Amino acid sequence: MKYSVQKFLPIIGLMVIGSLIMQSCKPKGAGSAAGGNAAKAYVAPGKYDEFYNFVSGGFSGQMSVYGLPSGRLFRVIPVFSVDPEKGYGYSEETKPMLNTSHGFVPWGDLHHIAMSETDGIQDGRWAFGNENNTPRIARIDLKTFRTAEIIEIPNSAGNHSSPFITENSEYVVAGTRFSIPMDNTSGDVPINTYKQNFRGTVSFIRVDQKSGGMKIAFQIQTPGVNYDLARAGKGPSHGWMFFSCYNSERANTLLEVNASQKDKDFILCVNWKKAEEYVAAGKGQKRAVKYAHNVYDESKHLATSTIENEVTVLDPKDCPGMIYYMPCPKSPHGCDTDPTGEYIVGSGKLAAVIPVFSFTKIQKAIADKNFDGDYEGIPVLKYDAVLHGEVQKPGLGPLHTEFDANGNAYTSFFVSSEIVKWNVKDLKVLDRVPTYYSIGHLCVPGGPTRKPWGKYVIAYNKITKDRYLPTGPELAQSAQLYDISGDKMKLILDFPTIGEPHYAEAIPADLVMKNSQKIYKIEDNKNPYAALGDNNARVERKGNEVHVYMTSIRSHFTPDNIEGVKLGDVVYFHVTNLEQDWDVPHGFAVKGANNAELLIMPGETQTLAWKPDRVGVFPMYCTDFCSALHQEMQGYIRISAPGNNVPLSFSTGKNVPASTDKKDSVTNK
């Protein structure tokens, strides 16, 4: 296959200059851009928002939840990073969630969100998130807004093109950003042997339709390029997945120059139905790998981590007709299928057009073998044979496209800092609005699905100059809400977000609210350390471990006085919240604990491990306001020297007379 080679440095330079200009110049009227439209974002006190907006936290490793149209922050969901506010990654029950083949990893980089679907429509059961650095996929249970499962992805590095989902939640996919030597081979190879030794993978993770449980069904080994984003087919294209990819030059250094040589890179077209057939026929190779699979048990309120040792890999040379490459203007980012499933939109970041491909034409080109050669043995479809058409001169730096229910598309343009609305069939630009500044991803509620809910488009911007009060060198991350209910887009709200927002999905509130879990029933608590009533509260010694089976209820702990613990012991506080009323969590903290507090929901048990570092009396208290006597919800634990003969004892509501035994005095003499 022959592609013309051009040095795009002058164009790149112009784009960079354009970007800098956009970032440094304040658009006229920026301070009042929302104008009289701001009232559309107002949600009166006591009223609910129309949509939940699930937003990636980027380098925070977390997922945040906002209301739309208000832009109010409702919750930060701990996913790939420890969270001392909720004790996630600190409590003994949740530590296993952050286990990997590299050991305990306390941080992550969450870029993309996917909502579970039924028949191509969001169903409100689960949200999925990806982790870039240590490749993982997480599943969040939308009944509890908690991370229920995390699975590590072997044979991968920079898990960026994930966790995009098929239209009946059969699979979430994970494409590697960095091609690498495979895990079952020696990775000790010269970096400059990239073309010989580095390979890519796209992974298909099966989702159990009842439980949501995840399992890597198979991986497809690919040539050593970089995979960026992906979208599943739907309707006529159901059974296919499309991945944008760059660095078809297979460069291993200074990619901004060396991976921008060719006119076109690719979109990878995967027939996953055919891949399933090859797996069933035994074409997959079992490869020895190592990866963690972590699951949170809602009945036991604790997580377990299992190290898996095998994965099934399909090699395209053994599986003809499974994958194809489709040329796309260079360095594509977005790769998006429209609601009908007929059109696939590519977004070449360095292109002056937006290509729109036809699934019908893709199938015809495959049937006719209308190929433009091959790329490492993978057939390359002819560009003109699969092209529906190109949107001409839409803007600078197209990144990502989503859709409304009226046949229109909305594309973000990083360099020209704008959202452009265009018609999918006739490819004509209909409207454009500025963003402030340098937009990355955007989100239309239901925009990637068969049924867009429409009404709004949200811009997630990379630069925030002039929008918020200054906070030192780093400013708040910027999101902007636009009304798209009419012919013209109208800015109605600016609101800041946590981390660096990348992608987000929004879903009607009713789909999630109806399944929302308010409490954990105390009778269903199967945690092995639960104390299901004050009469079960106790303190037990097991060697140098002291286990405190504690209960919390408004407004005291049982026990709240503990003695007989020795320096060198490890104290495990197993705290069970006996409340059975909605929105009455209790917190727990002890002075000197160098990990975190606990936050325990009604009916739940959580455990904090504490190793005292000195002799003394240490206060413990409730950290989450629970009642008018919240301040009184406290207690003490006494730590004695190793040789002290203080017996293990515990009590609540018992004032014991002061001891006159000198051996049991404060000075421990």
Side-chain angles (χ1 to χ4, degrees):
M1 178 178 71
K2 296 181 180 179
Y3 289 133
S4 63
V5 176
Q6 296 181 1
K7 296 291 185 180
F8 264 70
L9 290 177
I11 293 177
I12 296 172
L14 287 172
M15 294 178 75
V16 171
I17 291 170
S19 177
L20 292 173
I21 290 172
M22 288 301 301
Q23 294 170 16
S24 61
C25 297
K26 184 175 181 179
K28 185 177 180 180
S32 58
N37 300 311
K40 293 184 177 181
Y42 178 69
V43 176
K47 300 295 183 180
Y48 289 150
D49 281 276
E50 299 171 75
F51 295 94
Y52 286 102
N53 188 205
F54 292 84
V55 183
S56 65
F59 44 70
S60 79
Q62 317 296 34
M63 189 182 296
S64 52
V65 186
Y66 297 82
L68 295 179
S70 73
R72 298 178 293 193
L73 174 63
F74 294 147
R75 187 163 186 79
V76 176
I77 304 172
V79 185
F80 295 115
S81 296
V82 295
D83 183 355
E85 178 194 10
K86 302 173 185 67
Y88 181 82
Y90 293 105
S91 73
E92 297 302 295
E93 283 81 1
T94 59
K95 281 180 182 177
M97 293 301 288
L98 299 180
N99 188 42
T100 74
S101 63
H102 303 276
F104 182 82
V105 178
W107 76 281
D109 184 17
L110 197 162
H111 277 221
H112 304 128
I113 311 289
M115 310 299 291
S116 58
E117 298 178 13
T118 300
D119 195 25
I121 303 172
Q122 295 166 330
D123 56 30
R125 292 181 294 168
W126 309 301
F128 299 87
N130 72 321
E131 206 281 278
N132 259 341
N133 186 66
T134 307
R136 288 171 282 175
I137 299 291
R139 176 175 59 87
I140 290 82
D141 189 335
L142 295 185
K143 289 187 299 184
T144 59
F145 282 60
R146 283 186 165 181
T147 302
E149 187 175 12
I150 294 177
I151 191 166
E152 190 179 0
I153 312 298
N155 295 321
S156 179
N159 174 43
H160 195 257
S161 59
S162 63
F164 302 102
I165 195 163
T166 56
E167 69 174 341
N168 283 297
S169 304
E170 300 96 336
Y171 296 101
V172 292
V173 301
T176 184
R177 172 182 173 184
F178 303 103
S179 288
I180 53 171
M182 294 291 95
D183 287 358
N184 66 317
T185 64
S186 172
D188 185 13
V189 297
I191 296 172
N192 64 8
T193 64
Y194 185 103
K195 292 184 179 181
Q196 292 77 34
N197 292 312
F198 289 50
R199 297 290 180 269
T201 57
V202 292
S203 304
F204 284 74
I205 298 114
R206 171 71 71 175
V207 179
D208 184 273
Q209 294 304 291
K210 290 190 69 175
S211 68
M214 299 186 294
K215 180 180 180 180
I216 299 177
F218 57 88
Q219 296 182 312
I220 299 174
Q221 183 171 297
T222 70
V225 297
N226 301 64
Y227 293 94
D228 200 344
L229 296 177
R231 280 292 184 215
K234 55 180 76 80
S237 55
H238 177 66
W240 288 76
M241 180 69 69
F242 305 95
F243 297 82
S244 62
C245 52
Y246 62 99
N247 192 23
S248 56
E249 296 85 352
R250 289 176 293 171
N252 60 271
T253 183
L254 197 62
L255 263 62
E256 66 173 308
V257 175
N258 294 320
S260 300
Q261 301 294 305
K262 297 178 179 178
D263 285 337
K264 293 181 174 64
D265 282 299
F266 297 118
I267 288 175
L268 175 67
C269 308
V270 177
N271 184 340
W272 58 260
K273 286 287 190 181
K274 187 170 284 291
E276 287 181 328
E277 294 173 5
Y278 281 125
V279 171
K283 293 290 186 179
Q285 304 169 12
K286 300 292 185 181
R287 294 189 183 175
V289 294
K290 186 178 179 183
Y291 62 100
H293 187 190
N294 311 326
V295 180
Y296 190 81
D297 187 324
E298 285 285 0
S299 65
K300 295 181 179 179
H301 307 162
L302 57 82
T304 55
S305 178
T306 304
I307 297 296
E308 307 285 354
N309 297 295
E310 187 178 76
V311 71
T312 299
V313 179
L314 295 171
D315 191 327
K317 72 176 184 295
D318 301 323
C319 307
M322 181 175 65
I323 67 173
Y324 301 88
Y325 279 122
M326 180 166 65
C328 184
K330 64 169 58 184
S331 298
H333 187 59
C335 173
D336 301 287
T337 55
D338 85 313
T340 70
E342 170 62 21
Y343 301 110
I344 301 99
V345 179
S347 295
K349 298 195 298 286
L350 303 182
V353 298
I354 300 175
V356 181
F357 303 97
S358 162
F359 182 73
T360 301
K361 289 186 175 182
I362 291 170
Q363 295 307 293
K364 187 175 189 307
I366 291 171
D368 295 344
K369 299 188 184 306
N370 198 351
F371 303 144
D372 190 5
D374 67 82
Y375 183 83
E376 287 201 8
I378 311 300
V380 177
L381 303 170
K382 284 189 175 178
Y383 182 72
D384 290 339
V386 297
L387 187 69
H388 166 62
E390 296 175 337
V391 182
Q392 298 294 321
K393 298 181 180 180
L396 293 175
L399 288 184
H400 172 219
T401 300
E402 292 208 344
F403 308 89
D404 64 21
N406 303 311
N408 301 314
Y410 301 79
T411 301
S412 58
F413 287 83
F414 174 80
V415 177
S416 52
S417 291
E418 59 184 334
I419 298 173
V420 174
K421 175 183 177 181
W422 51 277
N423 184 269
V424 176
K425 286 191 176 180
D426 65 22
L427 308 177
K428 292 182 179 178
V429 172
L430 303 174
D431 190 25
R432 61 180 71 235
V433 291
T435 61
Y436 306 100
Y437 308 88
S438 298
I439 181 176
H441 283 276
L442 50 70
C443 165
V444 174
T449 73
R450 190 173 63 81
K451 183 181 178 181
W453 311 102
K455 198 163 188 179
Y456 305 111
V457 62
I458 309 100
Y460 302 97
N461 304 323
K462 301 302 184 185
I463 306 297
T464 327
K465 285 182 181 178
D466 308 317
R467 305 309 290 177
Y468 308 122
L469 290 171
T471 52
E474 185 179 16
L475 300 178
Q477 304 295 321
S478 170
Q480 294 183 294
L481 181 70
Y482 297 81
D483 181 356
I484 59 171
S485 58
D487 292 335
K488 298 295 182 180
M489 296 176 279
K490 297 177 181 178
L491 176 64
I492 60 176
L493 182 69
D494 281 21
F495 64 98
T497 69
I498 67 162
E500 181 194 353
H502 291 265
Y503 182 53
E505 284 203 24
I507 181 172
D510 290 346
L511 290 178
V512 177
M513 287 176 62
K514 64 182 180 181
N515 297 319
S516 185
Q517 182 172 326
K518 293 180 170 61
I519 63 169
Y520 294 93
K521 292 182 179 179
I522 196 72
E523 62 268 25
D524 295 336
N525 185 332
K526 302 296 189 272
N527 187 296
Y529 298 103
L532 302 183
D534 283 352
N535 59 325
N536 299 120
R538 62 199 185 278
V539 180
E540 296 177 350
R541 175 176 290 280
K542 297 178 181 178
N544 72 333
E545 294 181 357
V546 175
H547 291 263
V548 180
Y549 298 80
M550 178 180 284
T551 63
S552 62
I553 197 164
R554 289 167 286 185
S555 296
H556 66 272
F557 294 112
T558 303
D560 64 4
N561 277 222
I562 303 168
E563 301 192 40
V565 181
K566 307 291 196 293
L567 192 65
D569 289 340
V570 179
V571 184
Y572 291 89
F573 294 99
H574 310 290
V575 186
T576 300
N577 182 348
L578 297 180
E579 306 284 357
Q580 292 289 270
D581 193 9
W582 188 25
D583 198 27
V584 189
H586 287 295
F588 177 82
V590 59
K591 179 185 177 183
N594 60 6
N595 41 15
E597 60 153 4
L598 293 178
L599 195 60
I600 313 108
M601 298 300 113
E604 184 182 38
T605 300
Q606 290 288 290
T607 300
L608 183 71
W610 175 54
K611 188 172 184 178
D613 66 348
R614 66 196 68 179
V615 167
V617 174
F618 295 82
M620 51 194 184
Y621 67 102
C622 177
T623 56
D624 192 310
F625 186 88
C626 56
S627 71
L629 297 178
H630 163 74
Q631 198 74 358
E632 282 75 14
M633 192 169 177
Q634 63 183 55
Y636 297 97
I637 181 168
R638 176 184 173 188
I639 309 300
S640 300
N644 198 298
N645 62 356
V646 178
L648 191 65
S649 65
F650 58 94
S651 64
T652 298
K654 183 178 180 182
N655 286 311
V656 180
S659 172
T660 58
D661 186 348
K662 292 183 179 180
K663 292 182 179 180
D664 193 20
S665 68
V666 173
T667 58
N668 291 308
K669 293 180 181 179

